[in-house]
Amino acid sequence: MEHWIRVEPNVKVYVNDLNPLGNKTLLFIHGWPANHQMFEYQYNQLVPMGYRCIGMDMRGFGRSDKPLGGYDYNRLADDIRCVIGALGLHNITLGGHSTGGAVAIRYMARHKGHGVSKLALFASAAPSLIQRPGFPYGTTREAIEQIIQSTYKDRPKMLHDFGDIFFYQPVSQPFSDWFFLLGLEAASWSTIAVSNAWMAEELFNDLPRIQVPTLILHGVHDQVCFFPLAEAQHQGIKNSVLIPFEDSGHGLFYDERDRFNRELARFAG
């Protein structure tokens, strides 16, 4: 079932609600620069198991509206609140990948986890994607600035290069082409705006405010959100479990999809 949910007077986000009568509900928040379709290898296994899987395209990405503004974590978290309210969701597992995981953390802190009973973080860009004083574990500010400049200059090449470091396991050329096209569905300005948000946003104060059981899944070979970020999340969220994926990079949802789906189903069940 498809929905376009109004989150601001002139902005609607796209939501794909699979198996609305399922026993347990998972709301998936995708990472940059893709959209909810990145989780199709989760939908294919979890829906037949009886789960309700809801995929949301963040504003600026996929089939959602693409306004020129509103790409800070607070606004993106507020969009999640609008979706949860519009669909009347409660007692759900909120799952987020990369930037989507960071926004999910902000949602839990900013909206006191409204409607959410469990949180699942996949290769999340938290507590900070970039290095900061006292936190040397992220990527460099210069690397993000290079992504932004590359997006201005040649966005398809930037997306192609990003895809090259995304997965640890070999993927087929057709799969690589498909993943590349997900990034092209985003607007160039939203792609840039979220990149700028990485440099401005940090979630050190958000982590202790999470009060629900939290599952942290993270690839040991992640070249985007390095594994020490997962360890910092585990340290900062008191009721959390960290499961390293030894044969995965940033795209652990595909690198080790069977194990990923088992762990997520066990946690959400």
Side-chain angles (χ1 to χ4, degrees), residues 1 30 72 83 114 207 232:
M1 184 179 298
H30 64 84
D72 62 282
V83 169
H114 176 83
L207 297 179

Side-chain angles (χ1 to χ4, degrees), residues 73-74 77 101-111 119 126-127 201-211 233 236-238:
Y73 287 3
N74 283 349
V103 174
I105 290 170
R106 176 59 51 83
Y107 174 83
M108 297 301 293
R110 181 173 172 83
H111 294 284
L119 177 67
E201 300 279 4
E202 54 184 81
L203 298 121
F204 297 99
N205 294 329
D206 300 70
L207 297 179
R209 299 174 65 186
I210 295 173
Q211 302 296 320
Q233 294 161 31
I237 302 173
K238 61 181 179 181

Side-chain angles (χ1 to χ4, degrees), residues 218-223 225-228 244-249 256:
H218 211 108
V220 170
H221 304 282
D222 197 323
Q223 297 184 60
C225 297
F226 303 132
F227 188 76
F245 276 57
E246 303 289 346
D247 296 314
S248 290
E256 293 182 79

